[in-house]
Amino acid sequence: MNGPRIHVTFAPELRRFPAPERREGATPVVTDGSSTLGHVVESLGVPLTEVGRLLVNGRPLPVSYVPGPGDMVEVRAVDRPQRVPGAPLRFLLDVHLGRLARRLRLLGVDAAYQSADPGDPALAARSAAERRVMLSRDRGLLRRRELWAGAYVYSDRPDEQLRDVLGRFAPRLAPWTRCTACNGPLVAADKETVRPRLEQGTLLTQDVFAQCADCGRVYWRGAHHARLTRIVEDAVAEFGGASPAGEGAPSSAGRHAPPS
Ligand SMILES: [Zn+2]
């Protein structure tokens, strides 16, 4: 390209995305003279889902601005907490984020996830149809225009991913109210109703149950409860929301795998 030469500076939070030689300071970029600023930023490897304000020569301008010769562009990161207007806050996670999905559900956050990969076009279409924020570490998926909204997940460790998402979007927490297996709502269930689904040992030791209204799975205070409680208490202490359920309340430590 031999169009206008501009300089681009990225906020520290965004420096992981561009090529190494473009991460520090104001790096020169030659544009084609017709591409928008959004396109230029994206072509440097930075997902627009991660971009907050764009300052051109100190003035905030939209992604549709076409940069001209000598422009000094400063790319800021999204504000935290980030507001996603227009719909209740809910998420859609890609196939690699199953452990994060279970943690979000444990906290009562609406987190759709399928272990069978439906493919990027189907995920993007679902994000749009259900107005869900697409969470992914795949920059190609986050570039899809159909997305309702999207966010890059910065860590590859589930506990850090959880803190990232909770800190970024500040969802309302309602621990122990959602099925960690399917994302459905949990409702209180009496022992006689759930008896056919339980093993003898569980029936002898447990009296308080909850059941998923969607998939029918039964939950009780099980062997994993202490670890799940710690995840909930840590999240509530740092990010607010409702108190964890008190002693004796049904919890999502059931017969299926808890967050791992
Ligand atoms: Zn369920």
Side-chain angles (χ1 to χ4, degrees):
M1 288 190 288
N2 55 0
R5 183 181 164 95
I6 66 174
H7 284 81
V8 181
T9 306
F10 291 102
E13 300 94 314
L14 302 177
R15 287 180 191 158
R16 68 168 57 215
F17 296 115
E21 66 273 15
R22 296 194 193 277
R23 289 178 185 170
E24 299 291 332
T27 59
V29 178
V30 178
T31 77
D32 63 9
S34 59
S35 292
T36 64
L37 191 49
H39 181 84
V40 171
V41 168
E42 210 167 46
S43 69
L44 293 172
V46 182
L48 291 183
T49 57
E50 306 312 296
V51 172
R53 298 224 294 178
L54 289 165
L55 301 180
V56 180
N57 306 318
R59 278 199 310 144
L61 286 174
V63 289
S64 57
Y65 171 74
V66 177
D71 276 351
M72 301 293 289
V73 177
E74 186 183 340
V75 184
R76 301 255 178 100
V78 287
D79 291 334
R80 289 178 179 242
Q82 179 183 357
R83 298 193 57 179
V84 183
L89 184 58
R90 50 194 171 194
F91 298 97
L92 173 62
L93 285 71
D94 81 14
V95 69
H96 303 292
L97 298 176
R99 295 166 80 190
L100 174 60
R102 285 179 171 273
R103 280 164 170 73
L104 289 169
R105 292 168 180 173
L106 179 67
L107 296 167
V109 177
D110 189 337
Y113 164 81
Q114 290 171 270
S115 57
D117 189 0
D120 288 4
L123 281 170
R126 185 175 182 191
S127 163
E130 299 179 10
R131 296 188 167 189
R132 291 178 178 274
V133 179
M134 184 79 236
L135 300 180
S136 181
R137 288 175 54 74
D138 178 346
R139 285 188 265 177
L141 175 55
L142 293 177
R143 283 180 75 145
R144 297 193 77 95
R145 295 287 177 248
E146 315 92 286
L147 292 180
W148 159 251
Y152 183 81
V153 174
Y154 283 78
S155 176
D156 56 8
R157 298 183 48 205
D159 289 331
E160 291 175 7
Q161 291 173 343
L162 182 64
R163 295 185 71 247
D164 179 14
V165 173
L166 297 182
R168 176 161 175 174
F169 292 101
R172 192 181 68 83
L173 304 186
W176 317 116
T177 61
R178 200 172 280 276
C179 177
T180 56
C182 86
N183 199 40
L186 296 187
V187 294
D190 67 59
K191 197 168 185 173
E192 291 315 306
T193 306
V194 299
R195 181 177 293 275
R197 292 173 168 269
L198 299 176
E199 291 175 7
Q200 194 61 26
T202 307
L203 286 168
L204 288 172
T205 56
Q206 305 295 325
D207 289 307
V208 180
F209 299 95
Q211 190 168 25
C212 173
D214 287 352
C215 77
R217 285 173 198 252
V218 179
Y219 288 80
W220 64 92
R221 296 172 70 89
H224 301 288
H225 189 266
R227 195 161 61 82
L228 298 184
T229 299
R230 198 175 324 122
I231 292 174
V232 167
E233 287 181 348
D234 286 352
V236 169
E238 186 167 4
F239 299 103
S243 300
E247 286 299 310
S251 69
S252 24
R255 60 196 165 94
H256 15 269
S260 52

